[in-house]
Amino acid sequence: MSAVTMAGAVTGTAVLGALTGLAAVPIGRRAVGRATPRRFTGLGRAEAGPPRARWAVGCGGPTVGPGRWTVAVVGAVVYGALAVARGDEPALPALLLVAAVGLVLAVTDLSALRLPDPLVGAVALGGGLGLPATALVAGEPGRVTTALVGVGLSLGGYLLLALLPGARLGFGDVKLAAALGFPLGWLGWPVLRLGLLLPHLLAGVTVLVLLAAGRIRRDTPLPFGPAILAGAWLAAVLT
């Protein structure tokens, strides 16, 4: 592929990611539906918020953000980076599908601290159907075995963490990690290892920054889904 063709493909993929990001916010709002989101006072006490309220760290009520254009920029970066790192692989469409649902899940977790099962199931379906088909076409059925091991390791590791006393992980996080274990394992052991490690590093740094800024307290509930998604994406594009 020539440099010009590659640049055009990456640009087109990034534009598709921006459009996906624009659509992710209204889709995410509909996914949380009529459920009453939670807002946090900064004192670690959850209070019922109005429908469709935005989640905000350490504030006394709902705020605006992330908006559609913010998520559009994120979508462009996510898709563009995947196109650069994985553009020569036939699995790119399946990875982009997983990323698309991931953008919606990030919106739902940031807005309502929820990871709806149908969306997590869509992540599992996108990876579980698209990647094995790609492996068979490419003559690499062994990658499916690694992918299944990735599911087992992700599920077991996150389930153990969720069951520890005082754990902040919810079972939605466990299910999302297991669903992402398939594409991470399919991409190989280095990607899987990094994809399992990075979410905790990202979440830890975020918590430290927010604590230092006085935006949260130690007992303030925080969404972990975006860290799981960002860690998986970074592992896929950096490894």
Side-chain angles (χ1 to χ4, degrees):
M1 183 182 295
S2 68
V4 174
T5 303
M6 180 64 179
V10 171
T11 300
T13 305
V15 170
L16 178 61
L19 295 175
T20 302
L22 284 174
V25 172
I27 293 173
R29 289 176 178 174
R30 285 196 293 271
V32 296
R34 298 179 180 176
T36 302
R38 310 296 286 180
R39 63 182 174 88
F40 297 91
T41 65
L43 301 176
R45 185 178 73 252
E47 298 179 351
R52 303 181 185 275
R54 289 293 193 163
W55 176 81
V57 178
C59 72
T63 62
V64 177
R68 293 185 67 185
W69 290 106
T70 300
V71 182
V73 172
V74 172
V77 172
V78 168
Y79 270 47
L82 284 172
V84 171
R86 304 287 173 179
D88 57 347
E89 297 185 13
L92 180 61
L95 296 177
L96 293 179
L97 176 59
V98 171
V101 184
L103 288 171
V104 181
L105 281 167
V107 170
T108 64
D109 209 14
L110 287 169
S111 63
L113 290 177
R114 291 185 60 195
L115 295 169
D117 285 342
L119 291 175
V120 176
V123 171
L125 193 63
L129 293 182
L131 293 175
T134 301
L136 292 176
V137 170
E140 299 177 315
R143 298 183 77 167
V144 177
T145 301
T146 310
L148 292 174
V149 173
V151 174
L153 290 176
S154 299
L155 176 61
Y158 274 83
L159 183 60
L160 178 62
L161 291 175
L163 293 176
L164 290 176
R168 296 292 186 91
L169 287 178
F171 284 99
D173 300 316
V174 175
K175 288 180 281 188
L176 176 59
L180 290 173
F182 195 97
L184 289 174
W186 192 90
L187 291 172
W189 291 109
V191 179
L192 177 61
R193 287 194 294 268
L194 194 58
L196 291 175
L197 174 64
L198 280 178
H200 304 284
L201 293 178
L202 293 172
V205 170
T206 300
V207 169
L208 289 176
V209 170
L210 292 174
L211 283 171
R215 297 292 306 280
I216 63 171
R217 295 183 61 162
R218 293 181 183 275
D219 56 354
T220 303
L222 298 173
F224 195 70
I228 297 174
L229 293 162
W233 171 72
L234 284 172
V237 301
L238 295 179
T239 308

